[in-house]
Amino acid sequence: MAEEKTMKEIVSLLKRRGFVYPSSEIYGGFGASYDYGPLGVEMINNIKNLWRADVIRAHTQVVEADGAIILNPRTWEASGHLGSGFADSLVECQQCHHRFKEEEIKDQQCPDCGGKTTEPRSYNLMMKTFVGPVENTQSQAYLRPETCQSIFLNFRLVTDSMRMKLPFGVAQIGKSFRNEINPKNFLYRQREFEQMEMEWFTPEAEAKEWFEYWKERRLQWYLDLGLKKENLRLYEVPADELAHYARRAVDVEYKFPFGWHEIEGIHNRGDFDLSNHSRHSGRELKYSDADYPEPFYPHVIETSAGVGRLMLAFICDAYQKISGGRDQESQRSEEVVMQLSPKLAPVEVAVFPLMKKPELVAKAKEVFEQLKFSFRVQYDETGSIGRRYRRQDEIGTYLSVTIDFDSLKQQDVTVRDRISMKQVRVEIKNLPSALKQFLTKGSFNEG
Ligand code: GAP
């Protein structure tokens, strides 16, 4: 199928070009875990920083926190994760012993070999561990399945130490763990993944309005970063599919090559978390200030997205195959171009000497040095210039700067943009400001 082929090509490109590797590959991989390579790290750092810019810095009332992964296990009693709310129904094929979520099979028939499956049994998704040298029920703890719980546990501490006044938000980026029965679709569903979450505390009367605000704001963020409108939609989660903590949920969905799937959830969690933690811990987490007649539990609007899932969506959206090659230097029947927003691309500017001649290499290195603290720059002198353009196109680099023999005489360079492939000459002394301008505009063509 074309979709499967596309995913295979994307997975292979990401490995070949240092974005994502199968984890522990030399031991045959491990449980659908993935490692980010150098370019993958650049890209996820860009995603996280762009999220921070929009969710935190653009809103003076949002602060960032970073809580522990292993919390007091009582947290998960209060949050409902130890109960049936965070369990999947598991079945196993009696023939090939593959395991599935009950909802993935029909008529007790294994989708892989057609064998008969067992009766479903409940299976909690939290990853267990032991804290300290003795392994018993007292030392059992859990790796957090969502990052937000420490935000609720610390609600009082943040409010008091930072003198926060409603409405306000606490944001957090960090690893979460879920013992998914059937991890699949590459970065889409993993057992260890990173989340970017923001909990917005508001009086109940304003919760509806804030839900609309954050839903629209988050959707716009994806559009601003170049995800195609036709590949994005909002899905109102029906009442019988809501997570155990949610009163309302709208998912931002993206049209992956394997279908429409959630990339971010916007949830109205009501006062579920603060009231439950108050009850379980015996510490009152009500909010009070002189503007309100009595203490109360604020309601929570949550935005929650997975970094790896977003990276996969941005890459699927940007991945383009062009048959016949893009320019006269191309000798290939097919080329791949990653049409990523320059804001997301691991490399903003590539610097090349036209040939590996000492005087060109020296000048190119001088240009590289001039740019390296202001841009994400990569220097490349290996292979023909055509091949070097191809390599940069494949990883989504927006601008390529070439130093040729004229550069030595005229003190200027050629700048090529990935989208229009137009080339312009720019004086070396004006290069940083010209590149900044090209990067902000997105293409030489626009104005
Ligand atoms: N605190 C709310 C919460 O965790 P969720 O809908 O379970 O809500 C939010 O997860 C987001 O986290 C999802 O939209 C997805 O982007 C990401 N996510 C969840 N499970 C994941 C997994 N197994 N692998 C990768 N990302 C995942």
Side-chain angles (χ1 to χ4, degrees):
M1 278 188 332
E3 294 77 16
E4 266 177 38
K5 193 162 162 260
T6 307
M7 271 314 287
K8 255 194 169 154
E9 287 167 0
I10 290 175
V11 172
S12 135
L13 173 78
L14 294 185
K15 182 179 171 192
R16 188 160 44 82
R17 304 312 315 272
F19 283 76
V20 184
Y21 312 124
S23 185
S24 325
E25 196 198 25
I26 62 168
Y27 289 107
F30 185 66
S33 291
Y34 295 94
D35 296 338
Y36 293 106
L39 295 192
V41 172
E42 289 284 357
M43 184 162 171
I44 61 172
N45 283 342
N46 296 340
I47 293 175
K48 288 189 244 182
N49 288 333
L50 289 160
W51 181 85
R52 283 194 172 103
D54 196 58
V55 173
I56 305 176
R57 276 197 294 284
H59 297 87
T60 41
Q61 328 87 294
V62 179
V63 292
E64 188 169 358
D66 188 2
I69 285 174
I70 303 174
L71 300 172
N72 185 312
R74 291 177 61 208
T75 304
W76 309 111
E77 286 167 29
S79 72
H81 285 86
L82 274 173
S84 57
F86 201 62
D88 265 347
S89 214
L90 165 78
V91 297
E92 185 173 331
C93 172
Q94 297 176 17
Q95 209 163 284
C96 70
H97 298 287
H98 289 171
R99 295 188 178 122
F100 305 92
K101 287 183 179 187
E102 187 188 7
E103 70 203 35
E104 290 169 338
I105 58 148
K106 261 198 206 132
D107 305 327
Q108 281 200 292
Q109 208 184 23
C110 172
D112 287 351
C113 77
K116 193 166 185 290
T117 57
T118 57
E119 289 299 318
R121 71 181 165 86
S122 180
Y123 165 86
N124 193 285
L125 293 176
M126 276 202 294
M127 290 249 195
K128 291 191 188 77
T129 187
F130 296 94
V131 174
V134 185
E135 294 189 8
N136 59 26
T137 45
Q138 271 82 51
S139 65
Q140 188 173 297
Y142 302 90
L143 308 188
R144 65 185 177 196
E146 55 176 6
T147 59
C148 58
Q149 287 300 325
S150 60
I151 295 176
F152 302 129
L153 305 191
N154 292 338
F155 176 72
R156 249 265 121 71
L157 292 170
V158 172
T159 318
D160 292 350
S161 59
M162 302 301 292
R163 289 173 287 118
M164 304 304 285
K165 286 213 161 212
L166 288 186
F168 70 87
V170 183
Q172 179 162 223
I173 299 180
K175 284 271 171 103
S176 289
F177 302 81
R178 296 183 192 176
N179 211 352
E180 301 278 358
I181 297 173
N182 201 0
K184 61 180 171 189
N185 292 327
F186 191 42
L187 301 178
Y188 177 77
R189 193 189 291 158
Q190 299 170 261
R191 293 197 170 110
E192 174 181 342
F193 55 96
E194 211 168 11
Q195 287 186 309
M196 306 188 288
E197 300 201 297
M198 194 277 306
E199 311 301 313
W200 181 258
F201 298 96
T202 164
E204 180 178 3
E206 293 162 30
K208 247 188 175 157
E209 219 174 291
W210 282 116
F211 188 97
E212 293 307 314
Y213 171 81
W214 283 109
K215 183 184 78 181
E216 295 304 325
R217 181 90 191 188
R218 292 302 304 141
L219 184 65
Q220 192 58 43
W221 185 78
Y222 291 104
L223 293 167
D224 291 346
L225 289 176
L227 280 196
K228 295 180 194 81
K229 210 172 177 177
E230 63 271 24
N231 291 339
L232 273 174
R233 70 179 186 196
L234 294 173
Y235 172 72
E236 179 83 42
V237 180
D240 60 345
E241 286 176 25
L242 286 174
H244 63 277
Y245 49 74
R247 295 179 175 207
R248 184 183 170 200
V250 169
D251 290 343
V252 180
E253 291 192 331
Y254 176 73
K255 194 176 178 195
F256 287 98
F258 43 89
W260 285 98
H261 288 283
E262 169 189 348
I263 52 174
E264 170 154 359
I266 318 295
H267 306 129
N268 179 345
R269 298 179 74 120
D271 62 357
F272 179 89
D273 303 277
L274 291 179
S275 64
N276 275 328
H277 286 306
S278 293
R279 215 171 38 250
H280 279 76
S281 67
R283 292 279 193 95
E284 189 51 86
L285 296 174
K286 279 184 176 159
Y287 174 87
S288 60
D289 86 29
D291 293 345
Y292 301 94
E294 52 193 35
F296 62 98
Y297 293 120
H299 281 218
V300 171
I301 305 302
E302 171 183 73
T303 70
S304 175
V307 180
R309 247 186 225 190
L310 299 201
M311 175 170 162
L312 184 61
F314 285 124
I315 283 180
C316 290
D317 219 61
Y319 182 83
Q320 230 181 48
K321 260 191 312 193
I322 297 175
S323 49
R326 298 183 82 203
D327 56 35
Q328 70 277 17
E329 285 142 3
S330 170
Q331 281 131 38
R332 295 178 32 192
S333 57
E334 194 171 79
E335 278 167 14
V336 168
V337 184
M338 197 98 84
Q339 297 288 19
L340 275 176
S341 155
K343 292 179 184 160
L344 290 165
V347 179
E348 287 172 302
V349 183
V351 176
F352 311 140
L354 181 65
M355 280 181 265
K356 220 172 159 182
K357 296 257 183 221
E359 59 274 39
L360 294 183
V361 166
K363 193 75 192 166
K365 286 195 171 159
E366 200 184 298
V367 169
F368 173 79
E369 288 297 315
Q370 181 195 12
L371 303 177
K372 74 178 185 192
F373 290 118
S374 312
F375 302 93
R376 298 187 296 278
V377 203
Q378 196 175 72
Y379 173 82
D380 188 2
E381 59 180 30
T382 52
S384 73
I385 193 77
R387 280 182 80 159
R388 281 179 270 162
Y389 282 142
R390 295 300 83 71
R391 278 205 288 266
Q392 297 299 331
D393 285 349
E394 272 191 351
I395 64 172
T397 303
Y398 178 50
L399 298 171
S400 301
V401 170
T402 305
I403 288 80
D404 55 20
F405 289 103
D406 284 344
S407 306
L408 304 178
K409 284 182 254 153
Q410 294 163 204
Q411 298 301 316
D412 63 4
V413 295
T414 301
V415 183
R416 169 213 191 242
D417 97 65
R418 185 230 310 134
I419 300 171
S420 71
M421 296 209 312
K422 276 195 189 154
Q423 307 203 350
V424 292
R425 294 290 294 189
V426 177
E427 279 187 74
I428 292 176
K429 67 173 175 5
N430 298 332
L431 194 54
S433 59
L435 295 179
K436 269 258 138 50
Q437 219 187 341
F438 296 146
L439 283 164
T440 342
K441 278 190 195 156
S443 164
F444 289 177
N445 281 337
E446 290 167 28

